[in-house]
Every structure is written in C-alpha cells, then in structure tokens.
Amino acid sequence: MKYIIDLDGTLLDGANANLDSVDFVSELQKKNCEFVVMTNSVKSPNIIKERLSNVGIKIGVEKIINPIIAMNVYVQRNNLNSAYVIGSKLEKDQVTVELNEINPDIVLLLDFEKDNFGYNELQKTFDYMADGIPVITASRSKFYLKNGSKQLDTGAFVSLLETVTGECIEVIGKPSKNYFESAIAKLDTVASDVTVIGDDWQTDVLGATEVGCHAILLKSGKYSVGDEENAIVKESVDKLMDIFAE
C-alpha cells in the first residue's frame, strides 16, 4: 500500500507535530512505504519541508505536492501563456507561466492572506470573469486552523465570486480529481493501491473516494464529532499509529 498524507490537521497542528505524526512517518520510512504529503497550502515545497523538519519529520521536497505544481501542469496542458495571480511573491515565484495583470489568459487564486489582498483584487477578478477569462483556485476550503483557531481561507473568497457571477471556479487542489490523479501518478501506481489519510471528510475523504483510493479519516484538525458517520467515510482513527493496527 502507498499513501497520500494530508499536511495541516494531520501531520501538523500549526507549528507543532500533530498527535503521533512523527512516530507515524518514522514507521512508514522503516517499512519502506512509499508516500507523498499532499496539501492545499500554496507554500513552496521547501517551506513545507522546513515546517516538517522543525517538528522532527524529515522528508525530501520530492515527496511534497502543492496545488501550484498541479496548476502549472494545467496551464501548460491548456496552452495558456500568461496569468494574473493573487498570492504572495513566494507563491508567485512558483508559477511557471508569465505573470500579467493587464491582459492575462487565466487567473490563479492562490492566497488572499499574506499580503492582505481584498476588494481591489476581488473586483479585478470579477471583471476578468465577466470578460470570460478562466479562473482556477488552489482550494475551496473556507477556513483553516492556525494554533487551534479558525482563519478565513481562499475558498471563502471563491464562494463569494461564484455567488456574484453565477459561475463555477475550478479547483486544482483537494478534493479535485485532477489533483488526486497528479499525486497518484507521482507514486507511480493506481488509485486502488493508495490510502489517503486526512482530517477533512469534504476534501481528503471525498476526493480520495471519488478517484478510487481508500480513505481514512483522522479524528483531528478539522474533524467534528459525527463526521465519521458521513456515508462516504468507511474508516476513521483516533491517531495515526492506529492505521498499522488495522
């Protein structure tokens, strides 16, 4: 079995290791189990590697997948040449297509928080959507957890734009089939040989199930009591090491 493992709420709780994640990853490495860490965070793989290293989880950047990697593939496949990007400089630096704020071929919604993006960027995106410019986003998640506190996430602004325009913005991040297939391809296997582990039934479990992977819901992070009773949740655990006891 190969694994796709969620980052925040599963391996990490803010700046700390979540539950028994250090022991879990160590056990995977001892067993020579192949895995990737798949996140909706648009931080660079190097930053994510450092975050994990700081809590004692040592992995290479080649094991980390973020939505910008999948977005770059999407833009290339669709022969698009330029993009208007909402995100910090560190996020924009990961985008491989030419940046263009005047006449872009596509809009990439990465992150509103870092540089306090707000009304002006939302209005510009609204205008581009009215002109028929395609928009894709890294996440439909409306909030994330930071040291136990809920913080507005990009999905909240995606929902606002969709409501105003009546258009659907494609997600190139969990739970999109496109994103999960990218992770499965990175593991060089088929969906039925992959177990996805995460704390969010709406992104981790739903995305995994729809693409044909086995999914395990971790009762941590975004988990709320009763989530395991959702029809698509077949297996749930209190801590990561419980997975080896199955």
Side-chain angles (χ1 to χ4, degrees):
M1 184 61 65
K2 300 182 180 183
Y3 297 88
I4 295 172
I5 311 170
D6 174 53
L7 181 68
D8 290 296
T10 301
L11 294 180
L12 294 177
D13 177 11
N16 302 310
N18 187 53
L19 300 174
D20 55 348
S21 62
V22 176
D23 290 339
F24 177 70
V25 174
S26 177
E27 190 66 18
L28 285 177
Q29 292 168 331
K30 287 178 184 176
K31 293 176 178 291
N32 292 317
C33 294
E34 292 187 50
F35 67 91
V36 293
V37 175
M38 182 179 174
T39 176
N40 271 355
S41 168
V42 290
K43 291 184 175 69
S44 75
N46 282 317
I47 290 175
I48 294 170
K49 175 188 174 183
E50 183 177 356
R51 287 184 66 201
L52 290 166
S53 179
N54 287 341
V55 302
I57 297 175
K58 309 292 185 182
I59 64 172
V61 291
E62 74 281 355
K63 287 187 175 295
I64 297 168
I65 304 176
N66 76 359
I68 301 179
I69 293 172
M71 282 181 162
N72 287 331
V73 173
Y74 178 97
V75 169
Q76 183 179 25
R77 284 177 178 171
N78 287 278
N79 298 313
L80 303 171
N81 298 313
S82 65
Y84 171 55
V85 181
I86 294 180
S88 70
K89 182 180 184 303
L90 287 174
E91 292 149 7
K92 290 178 180 177
D93 285 346
Q94 299 176 62
V95 176
T96 56
V97 72
E98 176 190 347
L99 304 186
N100 184 343
E101 296 190 7
I102 306 301
N103 187 30
D105 294 326
I106 191 168
V107 178
L108 310 183
L109 301 182
L110 301 181
D111 180 73
F112 282 81
E113 177 188 8
K114 305 296 185 304
D115 291 339
N116 295 315
F117 292 119
Y119 179 85
N120 290 337
E121 290 74 25
L122 285 168
Q123 180 63 46
K124 185 177 286 190
T125 302
F126 174 74
D127 291 340
Y128 283 138
M129 292 179 75
D131 290 339
I133 303 299
V135 179
I136 60 176
T137 184
S139 172
R140 196 174 291 281
S141 178
K142 293 182 173 61
F143 71 90
Y144 66 94
L145 295 176
K146 185 175 182 179
N147 299 322
S149 176
K150 290 182 179 180
Q151 307 289 314
L152 279 177
D153 205 352
T154 300
F157 302 99
V158 170
S159 180
L160 183 155
L161 287 164
E162 289 181 326
T163 299
V164 173
T165 64
E167 301 290 334
C168 181
I169 294 174
E170 184 171 358
V171 178
I172 310 295
K174 295 182 289 183
S176 80
K177 184 177 181 181
N178 181 302
Y179 195 27
F180 275 94
E181 287 177 343
S182 296
I184 294 165
K186 192 171 183 67
L187 288 168
D188 192 26
T189 189
V190 294
S192 59
D193 191 36
V194 175
T195 292
V196 176
I197 307 163
D199 63 304
D200 189 336
W201 76 265
Q202 292 178 301
T203 58
D204 301 314
V205 176
L206 178 61
T209 302
E210 289 189 342
V211 83
C213 296
H214 177 63
I216 298 177
L217 177 67
L218 179 66
K219 298 179 184 179
S220 177
K222 289 186 177 180
Y223 167 81
S224 295
V225 175
D227 283 353
E228 70 274 24
E229 296 174 9
N230 188 286
I232 64 170
V233 177
K234 307 301 182 185
E235 183 178 351
S236 60
V237 293
D238 293 310
K239 57 184 188 297
L240 289 162
M241 291 297 283
D242 289 345
I243 293 170
F244 294 124
E246 296 297 323

